[in-house]
Amino acid sequence: MSVAVAQSRPVVRPSVEVRIWPKFEERVTGKDMPFSVEELAIIEQLVTEDDKSVDNLASSKQQRLLVESLYSSWKGPGGPPFLADTNIGVFHTLKAPPLVPDMFLSLGVRVAQDWWQKRHRSYFLREFGKPPEVVIEIVSNREGEEDGSKLLDYAQMGIRYYVIFDPVEELGQGVLRLYELHQGNYVAMKQRWLPAVTWRPAWRLPPSRCR
């Protein structure tokens, strides 16, 4: 069934400062950016999981499908690394609460082997060196601010693609909306694919940066 997508036009939001993260090729060849002792102490005090997440059966299944389909299509150890997950805190800064998208995809990264360490339990932009490329929010009610504050928050974080999936059209703007970041604001996309999300050999990590 064809789904109408909003016309390509800027989403008017207050001007925000957007951090320009280095390209992956530049990041993996540069120096690591370890947390300072003071920052590690702050991380130890952060709430990275609260065990209070409550969701519905439909949203939970959709989240699993989004992640499992990506990992099931991975070709094996020679393929490019990526991280896809659901309901994981994404920390833009240590001074503010994280955003917790229904699903995100980050290309060219791996989870640390010692993932029980506090700094490895969540997605810290400082730790991974970049924001995720894609965030997907699944609408189940009108309380989630999917087309409200989250448009601004994800833009400020530097998420390139933001997708709103509204299966029962709670927000009345169509089932599927795709946005791409342009100069700090999201612009609605006409196409149904994400051009910059492709598998490239350049994303393979050198051994010193395996996560």
Side-chain angles (χ1 to χ4, degrees):
M1 181 178 66
S2 176
V3 179
V5 179
Q7 296 296 318
S8 178
R9 60 181 184 276
V11 177
V12 179
R13 297 287 170 189
S15 177
V16 297
E17 179 182 355
V18 178
R19 178 172 180 180
I20 304 301
W21 296 88
K23 294 180 180 179
F24 178 73
E25 292 84 353
E26 298 172 356
R27 178 169 56 85
V28 297
T29 56
K31 295 182 179 179
D32 287 344
M33 296 185 294
F35 291 107
S36 67
V37 174
E38 292 78 9
E39 289 170 331
L40 289 174
I42 293 173
I43 290 174
E44 288 300 318
Q45 302 302 316
L46 292 174
V47 177
T48 56
E49 58 272 336
D50 58 15
D51 297 322
K52 295 181 180 179
S53 177
V54 178
D55 217 329
N56 60 73
L57 293 172
S59 292
S60 179
K61 185 171 184 178
Q62 289 161 349
Q63 292 167 15
R64 292 198 306 273
L65 287 172
L66 287 167
V67 171
E68 291 172 3
S69 62
L70 287 172
Y71 283 108
S72 65
S73 63
W74 184 42
K75 300 302 181 182
F82 67 90
L83 174 60
D85 220 322
T86 64
N87 292 318
I88 299 296
V90 180
F91 286 83
H92 186 202
T93 172
L94 301 183
K95 298 179 180 180
L99 297 176
V100 187
D102 287 332
M103 185 269 183
F104 74 81
L105 169 65
S106 185
L107 301 170
V109 300
R110 289 195 181 103
V111 176
Q113 292 183 354
D114 186 6
W115 60 2
W116 286 111
Q117 284 192 32
K118 197 70 174 285
R119 61 181 285 192
H120 298 148
R121 290 187 182 187
S122 299
Y123 194 104
F124 291 94
L125 269 64
R126 177 80 175 274
E127 175 75 11
F128 285 93
K130 59 184 282 292
E133 277 76 15
V134 183
V135 157
I136 299 175
E137 291 286 357
I138 301 171
V139 180
S140 56
N141 54 51
R142 293 177 175 269
E143 308 300 321
E145 289 288 326
E146 285 84 5
D147 60 357
S149 62
K150 287 182 180 178
L151 275 169
L152 178 62
D153 293 338
Y154 287 131
Q156 186 175 11
M157 188 176 283
I159 305 295
R160 181 160 186 173
Y161 295 112
Y162 176 42
V163 180
I164 300 175
F165 178 49
D166 188 359
V168 295
E169 299 194 58
E170 286 277 357
L171 304 179
Q173 299 293 323
V175 173
L176 185 67
R177 284 181 283 167
L178 290 78
Y179 296 94
E180 184 173 10
L181 193 64
H182 285 283
Q183 298 181 344
N185 292 305
Y186 279 121
V187 176
M189 301 172 61
K190 292 182 179 180
Q191 64 264 46
R192 302 295 183 78
W193 65 92
L194 310 178
V197 180
T198 57
W199 305 122
R200 297 180 299 169
W203 283 339
R204 293 176 183 170
L205 288 169
S208 62
R209 289 304 301 267
C210 289
R211 297 197 181 282

